[in-house]
């Protein structure tokens, strides 16, 4: 076994926790979580999401980091190598391949949405939101997404910057860019929460987020909550396994996984607390969809002192958070190409980057010229998001869990969990081996109507 990945290594346990938290915390927390919570009726949805994060997310994250560190290769080759060493079929590598494909597909729309946020940085600096009302703000959003040229420009800027960072490689490129990001993000979210309290509708926002109204929850909602737990923790996309490949030996993986999950979850809940009071204070609909944060936050910033300054800073943070996640989405396909086709990092990055950029047009056009082009009632963006987050990720996660619990050599797991066979180890086996496969199968089968449990 190699002791270092050929792509580099994190400099310490906290560097790894920070890096992986920054990869995990992204548009999923600030953009997606609030809007899907809004669409799916609030509290009960949030509860299912939290349960999925705690019970399914943490163990799968541990499994992914473990596999990544053990093999120190890209996800497809990592699973293949460990399968061979554990005397099972090398085809398990295809599971890693599936996750790499999911990363590629997700990145194509992720960069477009991060591009929207980039446009909002410029609009904030220009003062477009100053004293704007709900109508003006939603007009500003529509002007942006209905203009394919403008969105293409920002999508291109995003993809180019991601390509540059990934070309530079792990330590030089990534660690440096994230040191200040997370702390500033927390502070800015707190500022918006203070504003949200000041609107007088904090209670309504809080209740929407935490009061359990099970009548609002549908089987699709449960599926979306499950998919989002994977999406927000960057699971089953190769991203965590890839970052795991750079983890030093002395890091205690369960601790790291719990810290990363906590940071991610707290950020999502803070985003919810920041956004929903503003929604209710302005008579907006929580279920307005992907434009939610772009139609609510400017209202807050437009009416607070130093709003222009905070708005610029906030959207810069959103861009940054999105950017670091995007970097972690590009990394698995790039490492996969480097290892399998012996291409140079720069060439592989360019190849994947340009392909993702092209695919991104599907999402760009979903909000303008191709908005009526629908399959199964969904436009291209919705379909891509649905297939990746709600099917590819849970299925990938299920297979990773089965692999770690039933296929991977026990001695490998014991070594990766610091030679400790105590309660954490037992629990891990039980959850990965039984709970995860059963729970994911039930939710999936139920959502496609093959089981009618809820
Ligand atoms: N977890 C990221 C977010 O919440 C998105 C992401 C998914 C990043 C998968 C990497 C891999 O925004």
């Amino acid at each position: 076994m190699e002791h270092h990945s050929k792509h580099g290594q994190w400099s310490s346990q906290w560097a790894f926790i920070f890096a992986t938290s920054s990869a995990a915390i992204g548009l999923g927390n600030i953009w997606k979580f609030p809007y899907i919570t809004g669409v799916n009726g609030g509290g009960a949805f949030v509860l299912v999401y939290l349960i999925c994060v705690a019970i399914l997310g943490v163990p799968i994250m541990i499994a992914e980091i473990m596999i990544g560190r053990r093999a120190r290769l890209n996800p497809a080759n990592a699973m293949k190598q460990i399968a061979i060493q554990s005397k099972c079929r090398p085809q398990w590598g295809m599971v890693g391949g599936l996750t790499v494909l999911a990363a590629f597909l997700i990145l194509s729309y992720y960069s477009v949405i991060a591009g929207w946020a980039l446009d909002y940085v410029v609009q904030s600096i220009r003062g477009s939101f100053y004293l704007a009302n709900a109508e003006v703000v939603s007009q500003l959003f529509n002007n942006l997404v209905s203009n394919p040229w403008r969105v293409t420009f920002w999508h291109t800027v995003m993809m180019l910057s991601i390509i540059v960072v990934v070309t530079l490689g792990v330590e030089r490129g990534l660690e440096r860019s994230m040191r200040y990001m997370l702390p500033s993000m927390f502070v800015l979210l707190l500022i918006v929460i203070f504003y949200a309290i000041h609107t007088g509708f904090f209670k309504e926002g809080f209740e929407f987020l935490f009061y359990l109204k099970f009548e609002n929850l549908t089987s699709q909602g449960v599926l979306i909550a499950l998919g989002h737990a994977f999406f927000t923790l960057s699971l089953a996309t190769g991203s965590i396994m890839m970052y795991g490949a750079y983890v030093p030996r002395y890091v205690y993986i369960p601790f790291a996984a719990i810290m990363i999950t906590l940071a991610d979850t707290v950020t999502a809940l803070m985003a919810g607390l920041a956004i929903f009071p503003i929604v209710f204070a302005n008579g907006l609909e929580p279920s307005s969809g992907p434009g939610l944060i772009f139609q609510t936050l400017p209202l807050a910033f437009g009416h607070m002192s130093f709003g222009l300054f905070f708005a610029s800073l906030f959207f810069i943070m959103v861009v940054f958070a999105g950017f670091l996640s995007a970097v972690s989405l590009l990394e698995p396909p790039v490492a996969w190409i480097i290892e399998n086709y012996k291409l140079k990092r720069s060439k592989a990055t360019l190849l994947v980057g340009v392909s993702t950029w092209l695919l991104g047009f599907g999402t760009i056009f979903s909000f303008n010229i191709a908005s009526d082009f629908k399959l199964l009632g969904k436009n291209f963006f919705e379909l891509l998001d649905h297939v990746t987050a709600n099917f590819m990720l849970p299925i990938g996660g299920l297979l990773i869990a089965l692999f770690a619990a039933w296929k991977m050599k026990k001695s490998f797991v014991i070594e990766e969990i610091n030679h400790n066979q105590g309660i954490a180890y037992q629990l891990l086996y039980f959850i990965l081996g039984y709970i995860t496969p059963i729970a994911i199968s039930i939710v999936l089968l139920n959502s496609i109507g093959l089981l009618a449990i809820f």
Side-chain angles (χ1 to χ4, degrees):
M1 188 189 63
E2 281 185 68
H3 283 278
H4 285 277
S5 157
K6 67 174 166 203
H7 308 292
Q9 181 161 196
W10 305 115
S11 58
S12 71
Q13 160 152 300
W14 284 104
F16 166 65
I17 293 177
F18 246 68
T20 313
S21 302
S22 336
I25 297 174
L27 302 176
N29 307 63
I30 300 162
W31 160 74
K32 197 172 180 193
F33 172 72
Y35 102 70
I36 57 177
T37 300
V39 171
N40 290 289
F45 172 85
V46 174
L47 179 71
V48 178
Y49 152 78
L50 290 175
I51 293 175
C52 291
V53 162
I55 298 187
L56 308 175
V58 174
I60 294 181
M61 184 178 287
I62 296 176
E64 286 204 26
I65 301 174
M66 211 163 72
I67 295 170
R69 181 166 80 177
R70 183 80 208 170
R72 300 215 184 276
L73 293 167
N74 83 73
N77 294 1
M79 290 190 69
K80 182 168 161 196
Q81 176 178 314
I82 292 180
I84 295 173
Q85 290 169 350
S86 307
K87 307 221 173 357
C88 3
R89 291 166 193 268
Q91 278 84 343
W92 277 101
M94 286 165 67
V95 175
L98 174 86
T99 67
V100 172
L101 178 66
F104 168 75
L105 296 175
I106 291 174
L107 180 57
S108 78
Y109 77 74
Y110 205 86
S111 159
V112 174
I113 312 290
W116 293 356
L118 205 48
D119 186 277
Y120 269 54
V121 174
V122 176
Q123 294 203 51
S124 308
I125 295 172
R126 278 216 202 115
S128 315
F129 309 136
Y130 183 65
L131 292 183
N133 60 24
E135 222 169 292
V136 172
V137 168
S138 93
Q139 195 54 45
L140 288 172
F141 177 70
N142 289 332
N143 290 348
L144 166 66
V145 296
S146 60
N147 182 343
W149 293 105
R150 196 162 140 198
V151 183
T152 299
F153 173 74
W154 294 119
H155 169 51
T156 311
V157 173
M158 257 344 263
M159 273 318 298
L160 278 177
S161 351
I162 297 162
I163 290 174
V164 170
V165 166
V166 172
T167 309
L168 291 178
V170 177
E171 269 149 328
R172 270 190 306 154
L174 305 188
E175 263 189 49
R176 214 186 290 160
S177 40
M178 57 192 82
R179 220 158 285 157
Y180 305 101
M181 214 276 304
L182 283 186
S184 341
M185 180 98 224
F186 275 114
V187 174
L188 279 162
L189 274 174
L190 276 179
I191 292 173
V192 187
I193 292 178
F194 277 123
Y195 174 82
I197 294 173
H198 150 97
T199 62
F201 281 77
F202 191 75
K203 187 165 159 277
E204 282 79 353
F206 185 90
E207 285 180 6
F208 182 73
L209 212 49
F210 296 112
Y211 277 28
L212 304 178
K213 292 206 182 120
F214 283 101
E215 65 275 16
N216 290 346
L217 192 65
T218 59
S219 63
Q220 278 304 306
V222 175
L223 177 70
I224 295 173
L226 171 75
H228 188 64
F230 283 92
F231 182 90
T232 191
L233 296 175
S234 304
L235 295 174
T237 53
S239 167
I240 296 289
M241 210 181 272
M242 193 74 233
Y243 276 38
Y246 310 135
V247 173
R249 281 240 68 86
Y250 56 84
V251 169
Y252 183 52
I253 297 176
F255 172 75
I258 290 173
M259 295 310 287
I260 295 162
T261 306
L262 272 179
D264 188 84
T265 311
V266 167
T267 313
L269 295 178
M270 282 172 72
L273 285 178
I275 285 160
F276 286 111
I278 302 171
V279 169
F280 295 116
N282 291 279
L284 298 166
E285 276 305 316
S287 60
S288 68
L292 187 67
I293 66 158
F294 297 99
Q295 289 161 320
T296 46
L297 290 175
L299 288 172
F301 293 124
H303 292 88
M304 67 171 75
S305 4
F306 307 107
L308 200 143
F309 172 72
F310 287 136
S312 324
L313 222 54
F314 188 89
F315 284 108
I316 290 174
M317 287 304 136
V318 175
V319 170
F320 244 103
F323 177 75
L324 294 175
S325 299
V327 164
S328 79
L329 279 161
L330 184 55
E331 185 69 24
V334 167
W336 182 75
I337 294 208
I338 296 176
E339 283 167 34
N340 287 300
Y341 298 99
K342 312 275 173 280
L343 276 192
K344 276 222 203 98
R345 177 170 269 276
S346 52
K347 283 215 180 104
T349 311
L350 203 62
L351 182 72
V352 184
V354 171
S355 322
T356 331
W357 178 77
L358 282 174
L359 189 61
F361 283 91
T363 296
I364 295 178
F365 296 150
S366 299
F367 293 88
N368 38 68
I369 53 180
S371 59
D372 292 331
F373 178 78
K374 294 197 171 169
L375 211 74
L376 302 171
K378 294 183 167 27
N379 64 31
F380 180 86
F381 157 72
E382 289 163 346
L383 203 63
L384 193 63
D385 175 42
H386 184 60
V387 171
T388 49
N390 302 342
F391 290 96
M392 292 179 78
L393 304 191
I395 292 173
L398 180 139
L399 293 170
I400 291 170
L402 288 178
F403 179 75
W406 299 107
K407 298 290 169 184
M408 189 168 168
K409 236 191 203 168
K410 291 251 182 320
S411 64
F412 289 178
V413 179
I414 295 169
E415 268 177 53
E416 293 305 325
I417 307 288
N418 291 18
H419 299 277
N420 179 341
Q421 293 187 58
I423 182 97
Y425 171 86
Q426 311 278 348
L427 201 62
L428 188 68
Y429 260 103
F430 179 68
I431 294 182
L432 291 176
Y434 298 99
I435 307 279
T436 313
I438 295 174
I440 296 180
S441 308
I442 291 180
V443 176
L444 284 176
L445 292 176
N446 191 66
S447 75
I448 53 174
L450 288 181
L451 261 183
I453 299 188
F454 43 86

